[in-house]
Amino acid sequence: MAHPKRKISKTRRDKRRTHYKATAPQIATDPTTGEAHLYHRAHWHEGKLYYRGQIVIDATEEVEA
């Protein structure tokens, strides 16, 4: 098993971790509904699933069996 030869100081450890940053998600606005959503994601609005301004699934319709 690998063991460090010397203890890594807190400063050196923290310098290595400076590149890990949290980024805020990009928010898009749907052109049809005006609803805010994440880019490249479908979103529900009033019982309908929208993706790129078009209805993908309409949950308000009755399913005929």
Side-chain angles (χ1 to χ4, degrees), residues 18-57:
T18 59
H19 302 289
Y20 300 120
K21 296 179 178 73
T23 58
Q26 288 188 325
I27 303 294
T29 306
D30 191 283
T32 309
T33 62
E35 187 82 12
H37 63 93
L38 292 174
Y39 275 105
H40 303 105
R41 302 290 193 285
H43 63 280
W44 289 97
H45 180 71
E46 296 179 357
K48 297 175 184 171
L49 184 67
Y50 287 88
Y51 182 69
R52 298 182 69 185
Q54 306 213 353
I55 298 173
V56 180
I57 297 173

